[in-house]
Amino acid sequence: MAHGTVDFFNDTGGYGFIETDDADEDVFFHMEDVGGEDLTEGTEIDFEIEDAPKGPRATNVVRA
């Protein structure tokens, strides 16, 4: 699993980006991949990275 920090979160759209050393660019996530309460900027999380058509996407996201 990769480890990172929520760099940006849009609570209206339910999506955000994770900053991590495990990927060259920020990793996209959607709350459908997280479940539970919305994440806030600065929250540490663990996740898997999958290749998506628009770039890396986080799956199996859990709070660290």
Side-chain angles (χ1 to χ4, degrees):
M1 285 198 117
H3 180 80
T5 304
V6 176
D7 186 43
F8 169 81
F9 183 72
N10 179 310
D11 59 346
T12 303
Y15 68 90
F17 292 92
I18 303 163
E19 183 177 277
T20 180
D21 292 335
D22 297 312
D24 292 336
E25 55 189 302
D26 285 355
V27 180
F28 173 82
F29 74 93
H30 194 277
M31 283 307 294
E32 68 187 22
D33 302 317
V34 180
E37 298 178 21
D38 287 351
L39 299 174
T40 57
E41 294 173 10
T43 302
E44 291 190 26
I45 53 178
D46 293 321
F47 57 97
E48 302 286 336
I49 299 174
E50 72 174 28
D51 290 325
K54 295 183 179 181
R57 180 174 177 152
T59 59
N60 302 319
V61 179
V62 294
R63 288 163 183 82

